[in-house]
Amino acid sequence: MQFEQLDGGKAEITDADFQELRTAFRGKLIAPDDKEFDEARHIWNGMIDRRPGLIAQCSGAADVIAAVKFAGTHSLLVAVRGGGHSWPGHSVCGGGLMIDLSRMRGVRVDLATKTVRAEGGALWGDVDHDSQAFGLATSGGVVSTTGIGGLTLGGGSQTWLIRKYGSTADNLLSADVVTANGDFLTASETQYADLFWALRGGGGNFGVVTSFEFRLHTVGPMVLAGAAFFLWDRAKEITNFYLDYVKDLPDELTTALLHWNAPPAPFLPESIHGQRVAIIAACYAGAAEAGEPVVAPIRALKPAVDLLAPLPYTALQSFFDPLFPKGIYSYSKSDYFDKIPAAMVDDMIAWAERKPTPLSFTHLNHFGGAMARVANNATPFAQRDATFAFSQDAFWHRPEDTAANVKWVKDYWQAMRAHSPRGAYVNFMADEGEDRVRESYRGNYDRLARIKRIYDPTNLFRLNQNIKPAR
Ligand code: FAD
């Protein structure tokens, strides 16, 4: 068997070496000529088409240790797959070893401590399902098929609970990690505190997390949430309203503004399907009755379609799932901003009108609240004091639409650079190079590089928004 190595060379794996891995491994080892190979190598983004040398579908931490040691011994190129939602496709490699956690999705809620522990390949739908059975939730992703692994490790800075309960990483209490030399460590505030700090935003740079423990909060099961849709001729008015509205909100309300075409979704009247719209989306993380007066100014604008209503929290968390299935093509870029000047609003409206496919959209997410009351160096995520994140997300179904969509995202993003952005969220970035990674982590990059040197000195875990080990 031949594999790609970290330095670009090739490793010949003998039958004896492979047999050693087989003996230590309980899950599934999937080779390129196995019938499951194609399904297993494909991740969410249809743009990514890579063929690993071997896929190690782990059944638990012991398998992860065996796979990491095998990769380390032979200096193999490694990709770690959690939920497979990485936009740039970091969870699959060409020719190397794909350590696949998709069979590790166990979840256990502990009611006594109000915590949940979930395996490294679990999805947000898994965590929400078990937690909501007890009226509990942690700050998680807004699409139920996104992995908790990549999202938490990148910081988890987009969630409907962010202003009330902080980011996903803020709710992480401990993590079991297999580091580059195959050691199994439990990191928390009191054990391997440097590693624990790095895991709360530093991405998959520091090891393979086999399980995550999160703090839970009382949420729902019904929450006042959803979206108000306005026809495009009001786009500027609604965008300006939004920028003003968010200036004074209680922590309970987390919101976003979208410029989109109303999707052909069953929850929308057919008359609006496909029409350009400005959308204000919101979730009130408190009693629905208390949220009504807070969202009243949005309703007072008389939206064309008003879908802000009490709904089950799990319904909110899977609201967008059907629109973004596995295999869709996607490209995304993003930046944080302290303020959105009037000239930027004009640019946003003009660029939205140039998008090549209706499914593509932008979202402006408002922050502040609990997340902003924590210092920027408390975790690697250094954008806590930013007011907004603004992302250009292109989605399309036909390969012939790729070039136009990628160009639209890149050009739109570039045009926004004129309005003083401050760096991105690593989970909303394409492959944009080392300087962009540094820019995103701001003052925290050098500390991350020093911790990387301790836990992964050879940069075995490099398929991520990579932090190079400090020299
Ligand atoms: P993967 O592709 O499996 O992994 C992404 C990266 O994390 C890779 O580098 C991988 O090696 C590493 N990794 C994954 N699991 C582990 C693990 N257990 N141990 C070590 N390394 C690991 N972000 C938000 O903050 N909020 C959202 O609501 C949100 N919604 C999204 C919706 C969609 C449809 C998509 C495509 C993305 C969304 N994101 C969101 C971005 C998301 O956070 C990132 O794409 C994230 O990397 C996905 O994690 P994953 O485990 O699914 O991805």
Side-chain angles (χ1 to χ4, degrees):
M1 268 179 140
Q2 203 181 57
F3 282 86
E4 284 291 321
Q5 290 184 300
L6 290 173
D7 62 3
K10 305 274 183 217
E12 277 301 338
I13 303 295
T14 63
D15 287 350
D17 285 335
F18 187 60
Q19 200 45 50
E20 205 177 309
L21 173 64
R22 232 182 230 301
T23 308
F25 204 83
R26 206 165 155 222
K28 244 187 189 171
L29 292 171
I30 304 175
D33 50 5
D34 287 332
K35 63 178 184 328
E36 303 100 321
F37 183 75
D38 259 344
E39 173 60 25
R41 79 183 175 90
H42 278 121
I43 57 168
W44 171 82
N45 190 345
M47 275 180 78
I48 311 298
D49 184 16
R50 297 190 194 121
R51 300 177 64 82
L54 184 71
I55 301 173
Q57 276 189 345
C58 303
S59 65
D63 282 357
V64 174
I65 293 169
V68 168
K69 283 188 171 165
F70 179 75
T73 303
H74 302 286
S75 300
L76 304 185
L77 181 67
V78 169
V80 178
R81 183 197 197 279
H85 269 204
S86 158
W87 254 288
H90 289 151
S91 34
V92 57
C93 52
L97 178 68
M98 181 176 183
I99 300 177
D100 179 355
L101 309 182
S102 62
R103 291 156 63 99
M104 292 172 52
R105 290 175 54 183
V107 176
R108 181 178 187 273
V109 173
D110 185 333
L111 289 177
T113 55
K114 237 177 152 183
T115 57
V116 60
R117 183 170 279 287
E119 285 187 289
L123 310 180
W124 283 108
D126 301 327
V127 172
D128 283 337
H129 178 71
D130 274 77
S131 305
Q132 275 291 283
F134 308 102
L136 300 170
T138 195
S139 298
V142 307
V143 172
S144 79
T145 51
T146 304
I148 67 166
L151 187 141
T152 305
L153 294 170
S157 69
Q158 190 194 304
T159 139
W160 285 124
L161 305 180
I162 198 155
R163 285 173 46 83
K164 179 68 177 164
Y165 297 121
S167 69
T168 311
D170 290 345
N171 286 283
L172 186 66
L173 295 172
S174 72
D176 292 337
V177 192
V178 178
T179 59
N181 60 4
D183 284 348
F184 180 84
L185 309 176
T186 299
S188 69
E189 288 283 8
T190 53
Q191 307 167 82
Y192 302 101
D194 56 346
L195 177 59
F196 185 59
W197 179 85
L199 292 174
R200 285 175 292 159
N205 275 284
F206 304 93
V208 183
V209 176
T210 56
S211 89
F212 295 85
E213 182 194 12
F214 298 102
R215 188 183 296 117
L216 288 170
H217 308 274
T218 300
V219 175
M222 298 296 280
V223 286
L224 176 62
F229 291 68
F230 300 89
L231 295 182
W232 191 248
D233 57 353
R234 300 181 68 190
K236 187 167 176 178
E237 172 206 343
I238 298 303
T239 302
N240 285 328
F241 161 83
Y242 179 75
L243 296 176
D244 195 46
Y245 171 69
V246 297
K247 281 180 186 156
D248 186 23
L249 288 178
D251 285 1
E252 280 75 12
L253 196 74
T254 296
T255 61
L257 173 84
L258 289 84
H259 289 164
W260 206 0
N261 286 71
F267 53 77
L268 285 172
E270 269 182 31
S271 58
I272 200 171
H273 287 181
Q275 294 212 46
R276 279 186 194 279
V277 282
I279 302 170
I280 299 176
C283 171
Y284 188 84
E289 314 80 73
E292 257 316 318
V294 183
V295 302
I298 303 175
R299 290 200 206 286
L301 292 168
K302 302 208 178 314
V305 179
D306 183 353
L307 296 181
L308 275 169
L311 78 166
Y313 179 71
T314 48
L316 173 70
Q317 290 291 88
S318 50
F319 205 71
F320 296 109
D321 290 8
L323 295 171
F324 308 116
K326 183 177 176 185
I328 197 167
Y329 293 73
S330 187
Y331 188 79
S332 171
K333 280 168 80 81
S334 178
D335 262 317
Y336 286 94
F337 292 84
D338 290 321
K339 54 184 188 318
I340 309 294
M344 183 166 164
V345 173
D346 290 339
D347 285 349
M348 286 161 71
I349 307 277
W351 276 97
E353 290 175 2
R354 290 176 206 149
K355 70 192 174 82
T357 46
L359 251 189
S360 298
F361 66 93
T362 59
H363 51 110
L364 183 71
N365 291 78
H366 171 241
F367 294 106
M371 191 186 71
R373 289 194 286 272
V374 176
N376 265 339
N377 63 1
T379 66
F381 178 66
Q383 308 284 356
R384 291 174 179 276
D385 53 339
T387 317
F388 297 102
F390 186 48
S391 308
Q392 295 81 26
D393 291 358
F395 296 94
W396 63 100
H397 290 288
R398 303 178 318 167
E400 56 268 37
D401 292 329
T402 298
N405 272 290
V406 172
K407 183 170 169 19
W408 174 73
V409 170
K410 285 184 174 171
D411 291 353
Y412 190 160
W413 174 84
Q414 189 60 47
M416 296 301 105
R417 298 295 282 180
H419 302 295
S420 307
R422 36 179 292 164
Y425 167 32
V426 287
N427 277 345
F428 285 176
M429 272 165 58
D431 276 324
E432 300 177 37
E434 192 178 342
D435 287 350
R436 261 295 263 177
V437 178
R438 273 181 182 275
E439 182 192 38
S440 296
Y441 286 119
R442 295 162 73 95
N444 292 331
Y445 185 90
D446 290 343
R447 184 174 175 194
L448 285 165
R450 288 195 298 275
I451 298 171
K452 176 83 171 173
R453 182 177 56 196
I454 298 170
Y455 294 100
D456 184 15
T458 64
N459 203 5
L460 178 68
F461 302 113
R462 63 180 63 186
L463 281 179
N464 39 47
Q465 298 296 353
N466 195 229
I467 294 158
K468 302 245 171 4
R471 289 185 201 186

